[in-house]
Amino acid sequence: MADCLKGYRKIVLLTFPPEVSGNPVVCVIAKKYDISFSILQAQITPRKEGHMTLELCGPEENYKLAMAYLQEQGVRITPAAETISRDDDSCVHCGMCTAMCPNDSLSLDPVTRRVLFDSERCTACGMCTRVCPVKAMHADVDMEQLH
Ligand code: SF4
Ligand code: SF4
């Protein structure tokens, strides 16, 4: 998965109704809202409905504005489900992620001073993936769900 230097990254499936399929709405969000994108998959069905899976990257506020714009244009948006995992060999137990985690999925064991990751609690908000200095926290996207 590409690094997103602008901070916020999402993978979404966009479904374009036939009357919107030919419009350059993705180029509009790139220009107007400073969102960069990579097309992971694109197809047009026999009913002329368009489907496009995109990796989007940009400032979080702009991402929300861009999604609102797409919805106004009649585009249906399905965010990809993500799960978060940790590479235990890379983690140096610095504790940075525990400060960001909103629901204590990441916590410091007071006895061992090691950071524990409870994947059952994790809501995949992605905050830890942005702060980890050694990139031990990963977002894994379920692409199957989008097909
Ligand atoms: S920020 Fe990264 S290296 Fe530090 S404790 Fe969390 S997962 Fe481990
Ligand atoms: S993705 Fe969010 S909820 Fe899950 S461990 Fe990271 S910071 Fe906590």
Side-chain angles (χ1 to χ4, degrees), residues 86-87 90-98 106 114-115 128 131-137:
R86 181 172 72 175
D87 176 359
S90 302
C91 175
V92 293
H93 299 274
C94 68
M96 297 259 298
C97 55
T98 62
L106 289 155
R114 290 173 73 82
V115 171
C128 54
V131 297
C132 178
V134 295
K135 303 211 180 306
M137 303 303 296

Side-chain angles (χ1 to χ4, degrees), residues 84 86 95-108 115-132 137:
I84 301 290
R86 181 172 72 175
M96 297 259 298
C97 55
T98 62
M100 304 301 293
C101 184
N103 53 27
D104 295 332
S105 309
L106 289 155
S107 60
L108 190 64
V115 171
L116 308 173
F117 174 44
D118 181 350
S119 59
E120 297 289 309
R121 293 178 76 101
C122 173
T123 55
C125 72
M127 293 300 289
C128 54
T129 64
R130 294 186 227 169
V131 297
C132 178
M137 303 303 296

Side-chain angles (χ1 to χ4, degrees), residues 7-143:
Y8 197 74
R9 182 192 61 79
K10 278 275 172 202
I11 292 184
V12 291
L13 169 69
L14 303 181
T15 304
F16 300 84
E19 63 276 16
V20 185
S21 268
N23 296 353
V25 288
V26 174
C27 295
V28 171
I29 64 164
K31 271 199 182 150
K32 194 169 172 187
Y33 301 107
D34 189 25
I35 300 284
S36 46
F37 66 90
S38 314
I39 299 175
L40 305 179
Q41 187 224 18
Q43 65 175 146
I44 293 192
T45 66
R47 285 183 299 145
K48 302 262 186 274
E49 200 178 59
H51 297 275
M52 200 184 267
T53 307
L54 293 176
E55 180 176 4
L56 299 170
C57 170
E60 186 166 355
E61 271 312 302
N62 295 21
Y63 170 83
K64 289 179 185 160
L65 292 170
M67 292 304 102
Y69 167 80
L70 288 176
Q71 277 173 330
E72 276 166 27
Q73 304 304 309
V75 179
R76 203 165 70 238
I77 303 163
T78 311
E82 296 190 22
T83 52
I84 301 290
S85 60
R86 181 172 72 175
D87 176 359
D88 290 334
D89 291 336
S90 302
C91 175
V92 293
H93 299 274
C94 68
M96 297 259 298
C97 55
T98 62
M100 304 301 293
C101 184
N103 53 27
D104 295 332
S105 309
L106 289 155
S107 60
L108 190 64
D109 183 319
V111 177
T112 62
R113 310 301 296 169
R114 290 173 73 82
V115 171
L116 308 173
F117 174 44
D118 181 350
S119 59
E120 297 289 309
R121 293 178 76 101
C122 173
T123 55
C125 72
M127 293 300 289
C128 54
T129 64
R130 294 186 227 169
V131 297
C132 178
V134 295
K135 303 211 180 306
M137 303 303 296
H138 297 277
D140 307 307
V141 177
D142 179 4
M143 298 298 290

